[in-house]
Amino acid sequence: MDYLPLFFKLNDRTALLVGGGQVALRKASLLTRAGARVIVVAHRIEPELVEMIEQHNGQVIMGEYHSGLLDDAYLVITATDDDQLNERVHFDAVERHIPVNVVDNQPLCTFIFPAIVDRSPIVIGISSGGESPVLARLLRAKLETWIPQGYSRLGKLVGQFRQQVKQTFSNVERRRIFWEKILQGQVAEKVFAGRDKEARALLTSALETADPDHQVGEVYLVGGGPGDPELLTFKALRLMQQADVVLYDQLVSPAIVDLCRRDAERIFVGKRRDNHAVPQDGINELLVKHALLGRRVLRLKGGDPFIFGRGGEELETLKQHNIPFQVVPGITAASACSTYAGIPLTHRDYAQSVKLVTGQLKNRTSDLNFDELVHPHQTIVFYMGLHTLPSLCQQLIAHGKPAETPAAIVSNGTRADQRVLTGTLSNLAERQAQAQLPAPALIIVGEVVQLHENLAWFGEEVLHNHGLILPDAHSA
């Protein structure tokens, strides 16, 4: 290591800041957040910087720097364009063994500022040793998205119980096991959800049992979206990384399953038409079984759990067994697949409403209100309707929808092998019989479909002679 990462305790200590511009303002912001008393010296000082220093009981000196200002300084930062001044401050500080940072001048620094992720009391510093500050900031941005703000409150909660836990568990190993379960279980999730009182109550209860192995399981019902891993939410990814058991569907892409915790037990419970790996009742039983064993169970579904995903049925079972759960929405196929196909579901010229319709009910029937579906100025999206496509088209026409109404099939939407077949209600079924686009697929009906020719963007080219969109060989 070129630098040893250290954390300075600056509460009520003096930090000397030479310079009064925007760079100095940024450094002053960090120093005051850490509780330092900041002395700023410069001939010209930004009004915002003056206000900040005065609000935090610091001192503003309009004038020349001199070495006497170092008498009470705990550390020194210089942020000026004057190279000679910067060097003088550096040598004065080094002579007195005071840590000094000269902004953007690594050779004159005895310490450097890292890129900071602040979840106080949790603070993460990222440094490139001055070689690539931009790279350090990019890494910080990634960590900002991966670490919820709730970690700040979680850290404070843990600090309040630390001494009690130490007294309860004299053995270091048992103490570690206890904290690992707390920090990866319901207490942490309650904090992240903003339910701090419940988190405190759970932590108190867990401590009173004095048993690190006593932990109630939980189920995470997570929407994995339509297939593209980059469409996952931050919360979904976090829960995927901490689950002990994963139950995943046929519609969840392998790339998304691979993002789950490596050592988690994985159970495939996918459903194809007339071929269910595990019946729905069996899935419900598995969720209950593993949760009662104290495990964190991830129920990973394609799309969104509450849009034709049977999420409600599974939660009803968990509720009956008093098993805690949380639900993470996913981008539903209608939104994602239409977007990747360049077909807006609404448009002021064509559609003012959208209807999401399932192709079949629980009893394998499809009792649809076609009179309602044929209203003008609306887009219809059929889930699980590929096998009844001829009937759907015929019924829509029979109930008054014009036969020339544009319609499309989006197969494997958002994935690298996405296919889009376009036509009208009168010929889409015939075209699909020739093209044989595979499931999973959505059917989109409405005037908005005609926009796809100009708006298709997902590495595709339109073959106008038969309305089939295939991947562009030049963008693969």
Side-chain angles (χ1 to χ4, degrees), residues 250-282:
Q250 171 69 27
L251 295 179
V252 180
S253 69
I256 289 177
V257 176
D258 284 344
L259 293 175
C260 295
R261 203 176 97 195
R262 292 292 181 187
D263 59 343
E265 180 181 353
R266 300 182 184 186
I267 304 173
F268 175 67
V269 293
K271 304 179 185 69
R272 299 183 181 90
R273 179 168 168 77
D274 298 322
N275 181 14
H276 293 189
V278 180
Q280 186 60 51
D281 289 344

Side-chain angles (χ1 to χ4, degrees), residues 58-70:
Q59 183 181 358
V60 174
I61 300 175
M62 305 288 286
E64 290 280 352
Y65 159 82
H66 58 87
S67 61
L69 295 171
L70 297 173

Side-chain angles (χ1 to χ4, degrees), residues 34-217:
R37 176 181 178 270
V38 181
I39 298 176
V40 176
V41 57
H43 288 288
R44 296 177 57 185
I45 302 176
E46 294 282 341
E48 188 178 354
L49 177 55
V50 172
E51 182 180 359
M52 178 186 295
I53 298 304
E54 291 176 348
Q55 285 178 351
H56 290 85
N57 300 316
Q59 183 181 358
V60 174
I61 300 175
M62 305 288 286
E64 290 280 352
Y65 159 82
H66 58 87
S67 61
L69 295 171
L70 297 173
D71 289 346
D72 297 321
Y74 188 70
L75 58 80
V76 182
I77 299 97
T78 175
T80 78
D81 295 327
D82 186 334
D83 291 339
Q84 289 185 342
L85 175 59
N86 291 341
E87 289 183 7
R88 183 152 60 94
V89 174
H90 164 79
F91 287 116
D92 288 347
V94 169
E95 187 175 29
R96 297 183 181 216
H97 306 290
I98 300 173
V100 59
N101 175 274
V102 178
V103 177
D104 290 334
N105 194 331
Q106 184 183 354
L108 295 183
C109 295
T110 62
F111 78 94
I112 57 178
F113 282 91
I116 296 172
V117 179
D118 186 4
R119 301 289 185 269
S120 296
I122 306 301
V123 179
I124 302 171
I126 307 160
S127 173
S128 66
E131 298 295 330
S132 180
V134 173
L135 179 57
R137 288 197 295 269
L138 290 175
L139 290 174
R140 180 192 64 188
K142 288 182 177 292
L143 290 176
E144 290 278 5
T145 62
W146 292 340
I147 303 173
Q149 291 288 341
Y151 272 98
S152 175
R153 301 197 316 280
L154 181 60
K156 292 174 183 176
L157 177 64
V158 167
Q160 294 166 9
F161 280 81
R162 187 180 179 197
Q163 193 60 35
Q164 292 174 253
V165 172
K166 190 174 183 179
Q167 292 173 353
T168 303
F169 301 106
S170 58
N171 180 277
V172 174
E173 182 64 15
R174 294 189 70 206
R175 202 155 61 226
R176 179 189 63 79
I177 293 172
F178 175 83
W179 278 127
E180 284 182 352
K181 288 186 174 292
I182 290 297
L183 295 173
Q184 298 182 83
Q186 292 179 60
V187 172
E189 292 304 321
K190 294 292 186 186
V191 171
F192 297 150
R195 297 155 68 177
D196 291 17
K197 288 185 179 179
E198 294 179 41
R200 176 179 289 275
L202 282 173
L203 180 50
T204 300
S205 176
L207 190 56
E208 288 174 351
T209 66
D211 182 1
D213 295 322
H214 179 76
Q215 180 76 11
V216 179

Side-chain angles (χ1 to χ4, degrees), residues 245-249 267 269 283 286-287 290 297-300:
V245 182
V246 179
L247 278 64
Y248 64 99
D249 280 348
I267 304 173
V269 293
I283 295 174
L286 284 170
L287 293 174
H290 288 286
V297 185
L298 174 70
R299 179 67 176 103
L300 187 57

Side-chain angles (χ1 to χ4, degrees), residues 63 176 184 265 337 415 421 441 444:
R176 179 189 63 79
Q184 298 182 83
E265 180 181 353
C337 296
R415 306 184 189 190
L421 180 66
I444 305 175

Side-chain angles (χ1 to χ4, degrees), residues 182-404:
I182 290 297
L183 295 173
Q184 298 182 83
Q186 292 179 60
V187 172
E189 292 304 321
K190 294 292 186 186
V191 171
F192 297 150
R195 297 155 68 177
D196 291 17
K197 288 185 179 179
E198 294 179 41
R200 176 179 289 275
L202 282 173
L203 180 50
T204 300
S205 176
L207 190 56
E208 288 174 351
T209 66
D211 182 1
D213 295 322
H214 179 76
Q215 180 76 11
V216 179
E218 186 176 10
V219 174
Y220 311 139
L221 183 58
V222 172
D228 184 349
E230 293 190 354
L231 297 181
L232 286 169
T233 64
F234 297 137
K235 186 171 185 178
L237 185 59
R238 177 171 58 81
L239 296 180
M240 289 164 63
Q241 287 287 322
Q242 70 183 39
D244 303 307
V245 182
V246 179
L247 278 64
Y248 64 99
D249 280 348
Q250 171 69 27
L251 295 179
V252 180
S253 69
I256 289 177
V257 176
D258 284 344
L259 293 175
C260 295
R261 203 176 97 195
R262 292 292 181 187
D263 59 343
E265 180 181 353
R266 300 182 184 186
I267 304 173
F268 175 67
V269 293
K271 304 179 185 69
R272 299 183 181 90
R273 179 168 168 77
D274 298 322
N275 181 14
H276 293 189
V278 180
Q280 186 60 51
D281 289 344
I283 295 174
N284 297 347
E285 292 174 4
L286 284 170
L287 293 174
V288 171
K289 170 189 171 183
H290 288 286
L292 291 179
L293 290 173
R295 295 171 178 169
R296 294 163 295 180
V297 185
L298 174 70
R299 179 67 176 103
L300 187 57
K301 292 176 173 287
D304 182 275
F306 280 4
I307 299 183
F308 310 127
R310 303 187 183 181
E313 299 174 40
E314 296 173 356
L315 295 189
E316 286 175 332
T317 301
L318 297 175
K319 194 72 175 178
Q320 292 170 5
H321 290 81
N322 295 316
I323 294 172
F325 59 80
Q326 54 182 302
V327 185
V328 181
I331 298 180
T332 189
S335 175
C337 296
S338 62
T339 298
Y340 274 56
I343 302 174
L345 293 180
T346 63
H347 191 286
R348 288 192 297 175
D349 294 335
Y350 303 112
Q352 284 74 51
S353 65
V354 181
K355 287 193 178 295
L356 308 183
V357 184
T358 179
Q360 66 181 35
L361 302 176
K362 186 175 181 179
N363 59 4
R364 308 290 290 175
T365 65
S366 184
D367 186 16
L368 299 177
N369 186 344
F370 284 98
D371 288 330
E372 182 183 278
L373 296 181
V374 298
H375 289 175
H377 308 300
Q378 73 177 3
T379 303
I380 314 166
V381 181
F382 292 97
Y383 288 67
M384 298 170 285
L386 199 58
H387 62 285
T388 58
L389 176 62
S391 174
L392 291 175
C393 292
Q394 292 167 10
Q395 289 291 334
L396 287 171
I397 294 173
H399 283 79
K401 199 74 172 172
E404 64 273 13

